[in-house]
Amino acid sequence: QVQLVESGGGLVQAGGSLRLSCAPSGLTFADFAMGWFRQAPGKDREFVAHVSWSGDSQHYADSVKGRFTISRANAKNAIVLQMNNLRPEDTAVYYCAAVQYGAIRFYRANEYDYWGQGTQVTVSS
């Protein structure tokens, strides 16, 4: 059974930092590209960041570029989203997702095969 478990969410003041982790199990991690998405109340789920199966390629939404960093450690079956200089508009539930062998349209949620349960990030002004 495939599971993606996110952790690291919480409440932080604007300008602060949080580090989200995702620990996939039940799959061959090195075969999967990974992504982070987020969903704020009343809004659609939106792409945040993506890392290729090898870790050599990363992509970011324009809204987080320069502030967020995605990384993966295949030996540890884990990915991390380091979020710096957080803003109130970053408040959302953040989801980890996995797509086998990657996807050209990695920014589309429906390309992904597996999802975590989400972790809440709240940024106060």
Side-chain angles (χ1 to χ4, degrees):
Q1 181 181 359
V2 175
Q3 283 190 312
L4 279 63
V5 179
E6 302 100 334
S7 60
L11 173 64
V12 65
Q13 288 189 329
S17 298
L18 282 175
R19 185 179 175 92
L20 303 185
S21 297
C22 174
S25 61
L27 51 74
T28 303
F29 184 57
D31 288 346
F32 285 77
M34 303 295 297
W36 286 96
F37 287 75
R38 67 187 181 186
Q39 188 166 17
K43 294 189 176 182
D44 292 334
R45 191 168 296 191
E46 66 172 2
F47 168 73
V48 174
H50 165 272
V51 61
S52 63
W53 61 270
S54 66
D56 291 342
S57 176
Q58 300 87 33
H59 301 88
Y60 299 93
D62 288 344
S63 59
V64 307
K65 205 170 291 184
R67 300 188 296 122
F68 291 12
T69 302
I70 188 171
S71 59
R72 69 185 293 157
N74 284 353
K76 296 183 178 180
N77 268 33
I79 65 166
V80 169
L81 184 68
Q82 178 66 43
M83 306 186 295
N84 297 329
N85 193 19
L86 282 159
R87 304 168 180 169
E89 54 264 39
D90 294 318
T91 295
V93 177
Y94 282 69
Y95 297 90
C96 171
V99 53
Q100 193 169 22
Y101 307 130
I104 294 175
R105 296 178 181 85
F106 52 81
Y107 46 87
R108 291 189 180 178
N110 61 8
E111 293 285 337
Y112 289 77
D113 302 310
Y114 302 105
W115 290 84
Q117 81 288 351
T119 185
Q120 176 70 46
V121 170
T122 303
V123 184
S124 64
S125 57

